[in-house]
Amino acid sequence: MAALMLRFCCAGRRWTLSCVDGAFRQGRGPLTGSMSSRIRGQRSVAQHSFTTAQKLKKGEREWAAVVGLEIHAQISSNSKLFSGSQVHFAAPPNSLVSFFDASLPGTLPAGYQITQQRLPIAVNGSLAYGVCIRSQHSQVANKTVRIKQIQLEQDSGKSLHDDLRAQTLIDLNRAGVGLLEVVLEPDMSCGEEAAMAVRELQLILQALGTSQANMAEGQLRVDANISVHHPGEPWGIRTEVKNLNSAKFLAKAIDYEIQRQINELESGGEILNETRSFDYKLGCTVSMRDKEGKQDYRFMPEPNLPPLLLFDSESLPAGADPQQVINIDQLREHLPELPSQTREKLMLQYGLRPEYSFTLLNEVGLLEFFHNVMKDTKAKPHTVTNWVLNRFLGSLKQHSLAVSESPVTPSALAELLDLLDGRAISSSAAKQVFQLLWRSPGKTPAQIVSEQKLELLQDREALEQLCRATLEGHAHVVMDLKKGNPRAINKLIGLVCKAALNRADPTLIKEILERQLSS
């Protein structure tokens, strides 16, 4: 199918895109030379520092993986790029299709995809993102991937495969929808890096309002180009894994494909230049079609589209109507807060560690939940962060729930933390209340504390007796403590709290035990 080029002009200038700490800025460069040869180049000296960062050992020799991405984000718009058809997720098949979208006779012969080729809207940028170091989860490694280009194009229709009837149906609701394609250079080396880079771009697009970027609804799709080679040798043949629609599947598909290629090469086989898909049920990639033959896309100018002129404050024509031109400087002045700035604010305002700020932003809805808890509780930010990221997020993952599906509301968690902060309940009792909140939506922490009789014991004499009985009944632990084992005191505190049904204050218990031991 022939693909036509969408022409964009910029008064003799090409806009370049760069990224500093995750925030985009734009610059200008002279429009010189042919763009196509530079765009097709895949290797450069600068890339080797990224691609050889992760060494994969399978047989006797090390392997290095190379990963590049093509990301397609559906532009936030009520209508398609060149037709008045509406854009709506989950509409009945072929219910949002104009004559132009369907390429019917009597209309423009739109049996092709309109895209940008020689003059993409931005080139030569970079995207900064962070990856948690697996061996040290308390650290975030800052990485950068170069952006080859950003271009505007039309989306294609969608194939619906009916295995039962052995037929394929076509849904054109998506045909003609505006897409932003972001091409990332092969600067990544594993699935986790690719997933984190895509998540950072997703957050940026959502913050800008460019795209809702909901991967579950197909508003953000990723194609991954993957190859392996021995360090110091030429790069291997690459495969392309198409249409990955979740960060989790993206990471799994890439890591599987890397291992598959290594296994194939070490078994004496060869890697084919082919397109593959990811079967999430089987957890593997599957061959779709080969790409060995030369592809002739037959790019040609689209004569029906006028140029799109981009200006800055210096090149803006005198007397130009601001509503009729695109001023890059004006857009830059009105940029909203970007993810990198939000993370910086979290660290400054609440004293959060970098990895905590990344988690709060990367989990959908978690930052809003955190802010709502902070708004309603008197507990310190450190306490709130610990409960949200460990107890709350851990429970969500255990039950495979999204933040929006949580049975525990921000106000309920805030009330629970106030009870803990006010020393109305012990930390052990607070964990018990949280579990009951999870199983009993609608009840308040105060109601559960009252029903389960979890209030802290205030009777000093009763606590003294519990401590004395514990010391008498566990003489071997007392002896261990006197021999110099500092952990033995924690054992005694735990035994008293257990005897008190988690209604004792560990700090007070420690004070009583130390006094009784020294008397």
Side-chain angles (χ1 to χ4, degrees), residues 2 4 99-100 102-114 302 304:
L4 272 73
F99 290 148
F100 180 82
S103 305
L104 292 178
T107 69
L108 291 174
Y112 48 78
Q113 179 190 30
I114 297 179
E302 167 58 85
N304 296 297

Side-chain angles (χ1 to χ4, degrees), residues 220-341:
L220 188 72
R221 307 189 297 275
V222 184
D223 301 336
N225 292 287
I226 306 152
S227 69
V228 298
H229 66 284
H230 293 299
E233 296 184 0
W235 291 2
I237 301 295
R238 68 179 182 180
T239 59
E240 182 180 32
V241 183
K242 298 282 288 186
N243 293 327
L244 297 160
N245 62 356
S246 85
K248 178 181 178 181
F249 293 156
L250 171 65
K252 285 188 174 182
I254 290 173
D255 289 340
Y256 174 87
E257 182 61 18
I258 290 172
Q259 200 59 53
R260 184 193 73 83
Q261 292 186 21
I262 292 175
N263 292 341
E264 183 71 22
L265 292 171
E266 292 196 339
S267 300
E270 62 178 358
I271 303 301
L272 301 178
N273 182 13
E274 62 180 347
T275 298
R276 302 177 71 88
S277 63
F278 180 68
D279 188 323
Y280 70 92
K281 293 181 180 179
L282 299 177
C284 64
T285 62
V286 180
S287 180
M288 294 174 62
R289 58 183 180 271
D290 72 78
K291 301 171 68 174
E292 293 295 339
K294 183 178 180 180
Q295 301 179 40
D296 182 6
Y297 288 107
R298 298 182 184 178
F299 285 101
M300 61 191 75
E302 167 58 85
N304 296 297
L305 293 176
L308 173 63
L309 301 179
L310 306 180
F311 300 95
D312 62 4
S313 298
E314 296 178 1
S315 62
L316 189 67
D321 184 355
Q323 301 298 322
Q324 301 298 320
V325 297
I326 297 177
N327 187 332
I328 299 298
D329 290 335
Q330 189 177 47
L331 291 176
R332 185 186 298 113
E333 291 173 0
H334 294 88
L335 285 177
E337 182 177 278
L338 296 177
S340 60
Q341 296 168 317

Side-chain angles (χ1 to χ4, degrees), residues 414-464:
E415 181 182 339
L416 173 60
L417 296 182
D418 279 343
L419 291 173
L420 179 61
D421 186 65
R423 301 172 73 85
I425 57 176
S426 67
S427 58
S428 299
K431 295 173 184 177
Q432 185 177 344
V433 173
F434 181 85
Q435 292 174 351
L436 293 172
L437 278 173
W438 196 272
R439 298 196 296 264
S440 308
K443 286 190 176 182
T444 67
Q447 287 175 327
I448 293 175
V449 168
S450 177
E451 291 173 1
Q452 301 295 323
K453 295 180 171 51
L454 295 174
E455 303 92 340
L456 278 179
L457 289 173
Q458 303 297 331
D459 189 337
R460 179 79 178 218
E461 184 176 346
L463 292 175
E464 294 269 0

Side-chain angles (χ1 to χ4, degrees), residues 337 341-352 367 370-371 374-375 380-382:
E337 182 177 278
Q341 296 168 317
T342 303
R343 283 190 286 264
E344 188 70 25
K345 183 183 293 184
L346 286 170
M347 290 186 285
L348 291 175
Q349 183 176 356
Y350 299 118
L352 300 188
L367 180 61
F370 172 80
H371 281 312
M374 286 296 305
K375 181 179 64 176
K380 295 180 180 179
H382 172 76

Side-chain angles (χ1 to χ4, degrees), residues 178-234:
L179 288 182
L180 184 71
E181 180 178 9
V182 182
V183 182
L184 302 184
E185 296 278 14
D187 294 342
M188 294 155 285
S189 59
C190 66
E192 184 179 14
E193 288 185 7
M196 294 304 291
V198 169
R199 179 55 178 151
E200 184 70 15
L201 180 61
Q202 183 184 34
L203 291 171
I204 291 172
L205 294 176
Q206 291 170 342
L208 293 173
T210 303
S211 172
Q212 294 180 19
N214 187 329
M215 299 189 78
E217 296 184 2
Q219 295 168 346
L220 188 72
R221 307 189 297 275
V222 184
D223 301 336
N225 292 287
I226 306 152
S227 69
V228 298
H229 66 284
H230 293 299
E233 296 184 0

